[in-house]
Amino acid sequence: MTADEPGPAGPAPPPPGGPRASWRGWRRRRRDPLAAVLIGVLTLVLGFAIAVQVRSTDTDAALAGLRQDDLVRILDDVTAREDRLRQQIAEQRAALEQLGTEGSTSPAALEEAADRAQALGILTGRVAAEGPGLQITVRDPADRISAAILLYAVQELRGAGAETMQVDGVRIGVDSAVTGDPGALSVDGQPVDAPYDVLVIGSPRDMETAMNIPNGVVDKVTRRSGSVDVVQSDRVVVDALRVLEAPQYAEPEDED
């Protein structure tokens, strides 16, 4: 992400796991075509998760102006997101290992792989999703809401456990960028207009609490003559989709 306030650090590479089947070994084995497709999908998404970096500009200057408690909270949020990403990567490595073993083309294994691919599709923004969450409206009548504030809202929601979200019809991903001047903001290069409509799936209570912490999103918006409406819902639909780009440099690790 890119904005004038701090963003999360890029995800660290996953810790070493247990014994893994050789990638070349998998390719040499003759597998059910559906299993091969699922292995490919999981591998592509795994490589994407490892390779992607969350973009941010002017981070050092922004951090220098924050209070100690704000810095501690930001660090906690980044650590929590990193831990979740590490866990997701570990789970996908385990799924790949299972698919690489003899007998992994059983209906149960294929169903498990399909479920994991679907879950990753939601997390990466390639699949529409629905579930409990929040419908948030950020109003900016004075055109004073900066890209940094909108980015800060996304970060706070993620730190509170948001699983997927969209802003004005633009699906948010791990590499999303918020840019532009107040009154003329863009998300991933697509213009967005106030009032900004944010649809987010996750724990409604936890995320609403995060929006209303002292010096949080609601406070920041209010101090700039704006307002934030937060509505909890049992069914939020996030249907904007992202195109998953293949990693330019990263590729599955080859262990012989």
Side-chain angles (χ1 to χ4, degrees), residues 134-138 157 196-198 200 211 228-231:
L134 300 179
Q135 299 173 341
I136 304 172
T137 303
V138 180
L157 290 168
Y196 306 110
D197 294 320
V198 182
V200 55
M211 291 292 95
V228 181
D229 294 335
V230 179
V231 178

Side-chain angles (χ1 to χ4, degrees), residues 81 84 88 122-123 132-134 136 153-166 172 198-204 206-207 210-211:
R81 284 193 291 271
R84 286 197 296 271
Q88 291 163 12
I122 292 175
L123 293 173
L134 300 179
I136 304 172
V154 171
Q155 292 173 333
E156 285 297 294
L157 290 168
R158 279 181 164 168
E163 295 178 349
T164 189
M165 73 184 86
Q166 65 186 52
I172 300 298
V198 182
L199 300 177
V200 55
I201 295 175
S203 168
D206 291 347
M207 293 189 299
M211 291 292 95

Side-chain angles (χ1 to χ4, degrees), residues 162-242:
E163 295 178 349
T164 189
M165 73 184 86
Q166 65 186 52
V167 177
D168 275 7
V170 181
R171 189 72 167 263
I172 300 298
V174 293
D175 60 341
S176 287
V178 182
T179 57
D181 298 320
L185 301 182
S186 295
V187 177
D188 292 340
Q190 301 184 47
V192 293
D193 299 315
Y196 306 110
D197 294 320
V198 182
L199 300 177
V200 55
I201 295 175
S203 168
R205 179 181 300 177
D206 291 347
M207 293 189 299
E208 183 171 11
T209 298
M211 291 292 95
N212 288 283
I213 62 174
N215 198 36
V217 175
V218 173
D219 280 354
K220 290 179 182 295
V221 172
T222 301
R223 288 200 297 269
R224 288 162 177 78
S225 304
S227 63
V228 181
D229 294 335
V230 179
V231 178
Q232 295 191 19
S233 175
D234 293 331
R235 182 177 183 269
V236 173
V237 177
V238 174
D239 54 7
L241 302 180
R242 293 178 64 83

Side-chain angles (χ1 to χ4, degrees), residues 111-133:
E111 182 178 358
E112 173 68 13
D115 290 343
R116 289 179 179 274
Q118 186 78 357
L120 281 171
I122 292 175
L123 293 173
T124 57
R126 297 181 298 108
V127 177
E130 66 176 51

Side-chain angles (χ1 to χ4, degrees), residues 14-20 90 93-94 97 253 255:
R20 287 171 287 181
R93 285 190 180 275
E97 291 173 9
E253 183 180 4
E255 294 187 359

Side-chain angles (χ1 to χ4, degrees), residues 79-157:
T79 301
R81 284 193 291 271
E82 180 181 340
D83 289 343
R84 286 197 296 271
L85 183 57
R86 285 178 179 272
Q87 179 63 30
Q88 291 163 12
I89 292 175
E91 290 174 356
Q92 300 321 308
R93 285 190 180 275
L96 287 171
E97 291 173 9
Q98 178 64 30
L99 286 173
T101 60
E102 293 296 334
S104 64
T105 56
S106 66
L110 295 179
E111 182 178 358
E112 173 68 13
D115 290 343
R116 289 179 179 274
Q118 186 78 357
L120 281 171
I122 292 175
L123 293 173
T124 57
R126 297 181 298 108
V127 177
E130 66 176 51
L134 300 179
Q135 299 173 341
I136 304 172
T137 303
V138 180
R139 293 185 170 83
D140 183 23
D143 287 342
R144 297 183 59 196
I145 304 302
S146 66
I149 293 176
L150 188 56
L151 173 59
Y152 180 69
V154 171
Q155 292 173 333
E156 285 297 294
L157 290 168

